[in-house]
Amino acid sequence: MRPFGILRGLLLALGLASAAVSGARAEDGYDLWLRYRPAQGSVARTIAPSADTPTLKVARAELERGLAGLTPATPTADSPSILLGTPSGSPAVAALNLPLKDLGPEGYRIRTLPDGKGNKITVIAANTDIGVLYGVFHYLRLIQTGQGVDMLDIASAPKVKRRLLNHWDNLDGTVERGYAGSSLWDWWKLPDYKDPRYVDYARANASIGINGTVLNNVNAKADSLTAPYIAKAAALADVFRPYGIKVYLSARFSAPIEIGGLKTADPLDPAVRAFWKAKADEIYQAIPDFGGFLVKANSEGQPGPQDYGRTHVDGANMLADAVAPHGGVVMWRAFVYSHEQPDDRAKQGYNEFKPFDGQFRDNVIVQVKNGAIDFQPREPFHPLFGAMPRTNLGMEFQITKEYLGFATHLVYLGPLYEETLKADTWAKGQGSTVAKVIDGRLDGRRETLMAGVANIGTDRNWSGSQFDQANWYVFGRLAWDPEASTREIAADWAKMTFSTDPRFVAPAVAMMMGSREAAVDYMTPLGLHHQMGRSHHYGPGPWVSGGPRADWTSVYYAKAGKDGIGFDRTATGSNAVAQYAPAVAARFSDLKTIDERDLLWFHHLPWTYRLKSGQTLWDGLVIHYSRGVAYVDGMERTWAGLAPYVDPERHAQVGAFLAIQRNEAQWWRDASIAYFQTFSGLPLPAGEKPPAHSLEYYEGLSFPWAPGI
Ligand code: GCV
């Protein structure tokens, strides 16, 4: 053994090798983007006394914690100071007369001023305590990301009112489509035992402006609405309150029968209405700031008003009336489709909801998934955006990666979210973006919502992988400002989570920004969708057919045959294009104007169709699949080169996951090509390797224990 080997052996024996060799301490990702490691060039600061409300206490504690980590030097009498507070709670803040009016209940202003004694004071002020907490996190972020904080004048206010996580967490601790361990909520031990981790959950959410959380799965159990579970939810609400986070619950529509002793859940039945009113009163008694209900009704087997011949409006308005006296809302999901309905699944949400525009109560928000099918790697924006100007429409994104490789694929979802939010609905002419629908500007709506299906669980790293934390992070930042740049957000996240060294940040951000397109390429290029394994949704399954429902198969969507591939949603097919504004419909319909990324979503085309590149559709498909695999190869190499900037523990985990992703990307490519080639009957383009195995091999793979089901 060489001398270094001997030393390394000794260190290994002591469990110190990796940390000592790299100079970085081993980390497991628990601290998320709130690591507060010493920042270069930062100056010690003192914090002026502030009022003692619960939220200001946590704001102050966070600032102390952040500064202690970021600027380890001890402040002296000459150190610049920070003043926190609201004009109503702090005479010192009031005396400054800062312009706060336009910042609303959650916005903040950070301004550096001379302190009159030859030094500087930075004021973090807001109309409410929670605004101050948000300002503190912004201030810390500036230091964490290496930006100067010596002369600040910043004002920020959220553009969306309700910025919510939706947990698909079950009462037994499992998480539907969860890939990060079990549910964080230990329902069994609540309300008596409150896991300290709940506080860290709240801190992390507050740091990115998330202000609400739906605790339980939309495939809900009525038990969540019983007294013992209300008490458990109330205990969580107590923990979250200082952080500005309200608790919401998914409500099972048939609860009046299951826990109310009624024979019906008909929303027009007076006894049913009385049940919900009493239930709302009971919940608000325990949780005075309860946010409201989220409902999945008449979708995928869930009960709903249609079971009684009633409508979504009847159901949603009944619940809305129950929570209205308490200031609550109802988020009613537009994710509805039925296999008994012969029409294209992509059209069904619009068909069911559009006729009700203007009929929902003011405290109902119709919650619409970003696309018309189901969180696919790429979907055109949902046609309901822009189509219901007299209805509050909220966005539902998926943060957990049900269709994007679970926790082990590095796929940064910022570009997916940004693509949807920037999409132009043309509802009121050019520039009527989805972002403007969501933040209420397009139609002058004030009850606004962005919801994200959480990717959080009991894994030490919270999200199943280090890079999946970035998806939670970018969701929160975009909910605050739907027009923010997801590249800049990625850069902030990378700096806070790993290193501010530009030699790390530039390649890491570049890798992240291309990662979603790579996943589209190796999974579902050129507008293909819903090609994954049955039920668990793991890995490729383009051959999935038969079973209980056609709309749960892959063949329903790709429509591959000898004549070609793709779903004709133009006027010659299902005419789903007609659900969009005429300018958008025309663009999608015309092969000359459609962006080829959506090609097979809207068109069924022969294998020999010529793409803009001049390649045939078949060659282009194969090349896209391979390009996706090559990108993952590149990520592996990039990541290997970033070892000097990352602690060994996290570096190794990301590296191992990239190796999994590399193999699975190849599997997606090979299995898809093997299957589609049986229809195209064409050879692979020159230089393309044939699939490693036979089609039968891929079809025979089975994953009964895949997570998240
Ligand atoms: C919570 C998809 C998922 C389901 C999910 C459903 C929904 O179908 O596969 O797990 O159920 O969407 O959003 O309601």
Side-chain angles (χ1 to χ4, degrees):
M1 203 186 259
R2 288 169 297 135
F4 177 74
I6 295 167
L7 175 64
R8 193 178 157 81
L10 274 170
L11 289 170
L12 267 177
L14 292 168
L16 295 172
S18 50
V21 170
S22 77
R25 141 169 124 62
E27 294 190 52
D28 58 14
Y30 183 87
D31 292 340
L32 295 159
W33 48 87
L34 301 174
R35 292 165 60 247
Y36 302 140
R37 299 290 184 273
Q40 262 185 356
S42 51
V43 174
R45 275 150 226 277
T46 57
I47 308 172
S50 51
D52 218 12
T53 65
T55 297
L56 285 184
K57 265 200 227 158
V58 300
R60 195 186 168 84
E62 193 69 36
L63 191 56
E64 280 166 358
R65 175 181 183 152
L67 292 179
L70 290 159
T71 65
T74 314
T76 65
D78 295 336
S79 298
S81 54
I82 303 173
L83 171 65
L84 302 180
T86 63
S88 58
S90 156
V93 172
L96 295 170
N97 221 355
L98 293 171
L100 299 176
K101 265 210 196 75
D102 294 343
L103 298 175
E106 294 178 300
Y108 53 85
R109 185 173 284 278
I110 310 176
R111 187 177 275 183
T112 313
L113 301 161
D115 70 353
K117 293 178 228 147
N119 215 329
K120 284 187 212 141
I121 182 159
T122 298
V123 191
I124 305 178
N127 293 313
T128 64
D129 292 351
I130 189 63
V132 176
L133 178 63
Y134 291 147
V136 162
F137 278 116
H138 188 142
Y139 180 80
L140 290 171
R141 181 166 86 227
L142 294 174
I143 305 180
Q144 288 175 280
T145 54
Q147 300 177 62
V149 288
D150 286 341
M151 194 47 77
L152 299 174
D153 191 6
I154 294 169
S156 182
K159 294 190 181 153
V160 175
K161 182 172 166 190
R162 294 179 197 265
R163 307 175 299 277
L164 264 59
L165 289 181
N166 287 184
H167 285 268
W168 287 356
D169 292 21
N170 299 314
L171 299 183
D172 64 1
T174 58
V175 181
E176 182 156 350
R177 309 307 176 184
Y179 313 103
S182 308
S183 170
L184 274 188
W185 321 135
D186 193 339
W187 291 113
W188 190 249
K189 299 197 191 90
L190 282 164
D192 302 322
Y193 175 68
K194 296 177 196 142
D195 189 328
R197 196 164 177 173
Y198 303 151
V199 172
D200 286 332
Y201 167 87
R203 284 179 56 232
N205 279 318
S207 77
I208 50 176
I210 287 173
N211 66 0
T213 182
V214 184
L215 297 173
N216 59 321
N217 193 350
V218 287
N219 291 330
K221 294 273 181 261
D223 308 63
S224 290
L225 302 173
T226 57
Y229 279 89
I230 292 172
K232 293 168 195 281
L236 288 172
D238 290 344
V239 177
F240 301 158
R241 191 165 295 113
Y243 296 88
I245 297 168
K246 283 186 181 173
V247 153
Y248 298 68
L249 289 172
S250 292
R252 184 161 166 88
F253 199 78
S254 52
I257 303 172
E258 287 148 10
I259 59 169
L262 300 180
K263 295 227 153 39
T264 178
D266 181 347
L268 300 192
D269 185 298
V272 171
R273 299 178 77 84
F275 166 88
W276 283 111
K277 195 183 164 317
K279 190 49 74 184
D281 294 348
E282 181 188 352
I283 295 173
Y284 278 95
Q285 185 71 31
I287 313 173
D289 55 354
F290 179 65
F293 293 127
L294 171 64
V295 187
K296 172 175 178 178
N298 293 122
S299 165
E300 299 186 332
Q302 294 300 308
Q306 293 171 349
D307 303 348
Y308 307 94
R310 311 299 184 193
T311 66
H312 289 297
V313 173
D314 295 330
N317 287 354
M318 174 204 51
L319 288 173
D321 291 345
V323 293
H326 307 281
V329 293
V330 169
M331 296 160 296
W332 192 267
R333 296 176 88 224
F335 178 67
V336 294
Y337 64 101
S338 160
H339 59 298
E340 282 146 16
Q341 162 64 256
D343 207 353
D344 177 3
R345 169 173 166 188
K347 291 169 66 183
Q348 295 181 28
Y350 178 101
N351 285 346
E352 282 202 42
F353 278 83
K354 162 83 181 159
F356 295 132
D357 187 27
Q359 296 183 40
F360 290 99
R361 297 274 193 266
D362 283 348
N363 63 331
V364 172
I365 308 169
V366 173
Q367 183 168 311
V368 184
K369 288 189 181 183
N370 58 284
I373 297 292
D374 193 11
F375 301 134
Q376 294 301 294
R378 167 164 282 126
E379 299 197 27
F381 69 92
H382 199 298
L384 277 173
F385 293 118
M388 296 186 72
R390 292 180 301 136
T391 304
N392 302 317
L393 283 193
M395 169 65 78
E396 180 176 318
F397 282 127
Q398 197 174 44
I399 310 173
T400 189
K401 301 204 319 298
E402 174 182 359
Y403 299 102
L404 282 142
F406 296 3
T408 44
H409 290 211
L410 194 165
V411 182
Y412 173 55
L413 297 176
L416 186 161
Y417 302 156
E418 189 169 332
E419 183 175 300
T420 309
L421 291 164
K422 281 195 171 146
D424 196 343
T425 69
W426 277 81
K428 291 193 170 162
Q430 190 166 17
S432 308
T433 59
V434 172
K436 287 185 188 160
V437 177
I438 292 314
D439 68 21
R441 262 179 302 161
L442 194 67
D443 302 306
R445 308 218 63 91
R446 283 202 305 261
E447 194 52 83
T448 53
L449 162 75
M450 194 180 313
V453 180
N455 66 348
I456 300 164
T458 51
D459 277 9
R460 277 291 295 172
N461 65 27
W462 300 85
S463 297
S465 83
Q466 308 300 333
F467 273 84
D468 279 338
Q469 297 176 356
N471 293 328
W472 177 10
Y473 184 81
V474 69
F475 167 78
R477 293 281 304 273
L478 277 181
W480 185 274
D481 178 4
E483 289 176 334
S485 150
T486 60
R487 178 180 289 277
E488 281 167 24
I489 295 172
D492 280 354
W493 176 83
K495 289 175 190 169
M496 294 159 85
T497 305
F498 289 110
S499 162
T500 52
D501 192 316
R503 290 166 298 179
F504 172 81
V505 178
V509 170
M511 181 174 101
M512 289 167 77
M513 290 305 291
S515 60
R516 181 281 186 130
E517 199 59 47
V520 171
D521 275 340
Y522 64 72
M523 291 180 173
T524 48
L526 293 172
L528 286 176
H529 49 287
H530 208 290
Q531 297 300 297
M532 64 289 162
R534 195 197 291 276
S535 168
H536 49 61
H537 299 170
Y538 171 64
W543 46 81
V544 169
S545 61
R549 303 178 57 144
D551 54 8
W552 282 353
T553 67
S554 303
V555 297
Y556 174 96
Y557 299 94
K559 305 216 181 299
K562 298 276 178 215
D563 67 325
I565 183 168
F567 199 128
D568 183 2
R569 294 194 166 104
T570 68
T572 54
S574 79
N575 206 20
V577 286
Q579 296 182 334
Y580 292 94
V584 180
R587 179 161 49 82
F588 286 151
S589 296
D590 187 344
L591 286 170
K592 289 197 282 300
T593 53
I594 188 170
D595 190 319
E596 284 182 347
R597 68 188 190 188
D598 296 322
L599 193 63
L600 303 175
W601 186 284
F602 289 110
H603 296 271
H604 184 84
L605 295 168
W607 296 104
T608 51
Y609 171 81
R610 287 280 160 197
L611 296 170
K612 287 177 186 143
S613 63
Q615 294 155 354
T616 63
L617 176 56
W618 167 247
D619 283 2
L621 261 186
V622 175
I623 288 164
H624 270 276
Y625 283 121
S626 301
R627 196 170 77 180
V629 180
Y631 192 91
V632 183
D633 255 346
M635 289 203 290
E636 262 197 290
R637 281 194 302 275
T638 302
W639 187 251
L642 296 178
Y645 312 105
V646 181
D647 49 281
E649 191 174 351
R650 290 188 300 166
H651 189 268
Q653 192 189 56
V654 173
F657 285 7
L658 281 168
I660 296 173
Q661 183 177 5
R662 168 69 182 68
N663 288 337
E664 293 185 355
Q666 185 74 47
W667 169 35
W668 266 95
R669 173 207 179 266
D670 287 357
S672 306
I673 291 176
Y675 176 72
F676 290 130
Q677 198 173 28
T678 63
F679 298 102
S680 80
L682 294 168
L684 298 184
E688 287 287 343
K689 284 211 183 93
H693 302 279
S694 68
L695 176 58
E696 294 65 43
Y697 166 85
Y698 296 115
E699 288 184 349
L701 297 173
S702 129
F703 305 96
W705 306 112
I709 306 176

